[in-house]
Amino acid sequence: MVRGNIISVLIMQSQTQWLYVGCRRFLLSLVDGFTEAATGAQGAEVEPGMSVMTELTHDFATARDGTRLALHRMGAGRPLLLLHGLFSNADTNWIRFGHAQTLVDAGFDVIMPDLRAHGQSEAPHDPAAHPRDVLVRDVEDVI
């Protein structure tokens, strides 16, 4: 479970909506706009062009119905929660192609959950475990 600082920005990406280049361009503009905020009170200042070597950690949060949700995290500084789109996972959308590293280099603590039934999170088979607002509730439980 993510505790402490307030989440800076909530981003949702769908593979069907963004191409790799568009996503990369968006993230770079986000970094330009938030770098000052991220380095202010947290002190996680990174010089331009300098890459922060950071370890990717894996943990689990428990949703209110008991479903285990995988959390992937890297970096230090101001927390930033990234949500992947449907039929994907954190590795495909954020880790594999360096999007998360771009944000880490800008001084963010990047938190990337695998949504219910995606990636390393549990996938309950009971239809009752998938009500209409379940993904919103899962994000609330992660935060």
Side-chain angles (χ1 to χ4, degrees):
M1 182 156 299
V2 178
R3 297 202 184 265
N5 297 325
I6 295 175
I7 302 302
S8 301
V9 178
L10 184 63
I11 301 173
M12 187 161 194
Q13 181 201 17
S14 171
Q15 285 179 293
T16 60
Q17 293 175 351
W18 290 354
L19 296 173
Y20 170 77
V21 173
C23 180
R24 188 80 169 172
R25 191 173 300 135
F26 171 77
L27 287 174
L28 291 173
S29 68
L30 177 74
V31 166
D32 288 342
F34 285 97
T35 298
E36 184 177 321
T39 60
Q42 298 298 325
E45 193 164 330
V46 178
E47 293 181 28
M50 181 178 153
S51 181
V52 175
M53 296 307 289
T54 184
E55 182 178 325
L56 177 65
T57 62
H58 306 280
D59 199 2
F60 287 90
T62 303
R64 61 190 79 182
D65 69 353
T67 301
R68 288 174 37 105
L69 305 171
L71 293 176
H72 312 280
R73 195 170 192 166
M74 57 193 301
R78 191 167 182 182
L80 180 68
L81 182 66
L82 302 178
L83 299 178
H84 63 76
L86 294 176
F87 310 113
S88 191
N89 57 47
D91 181 62
T92 300
N93 282 105
W94 308 117
I95 300 165
R96 185 178 304 160
F97 298 106
H99 302 313
Q101 186 63 53
T102 298
L103 295 166
V104 167
D105 292 345
F108 288 97
D109 173 9
V110 182
I111 304 155
M112 303 157 284
D114 281 335
L115 299 176
R116 174 181 299 249
H118 293 80
Q120 296 175 10
S121 289
E122 286 185 341
H125 295 285
D126 182 1
H130 299 276
R132 176 173 271 187
D133 63 346
V134 72
L135 297 180
V136 172
R137 287 192 274 153
D138 285 350
V139 171
E140 288 175 343
D141 293 340
V142 166
I143 293 172

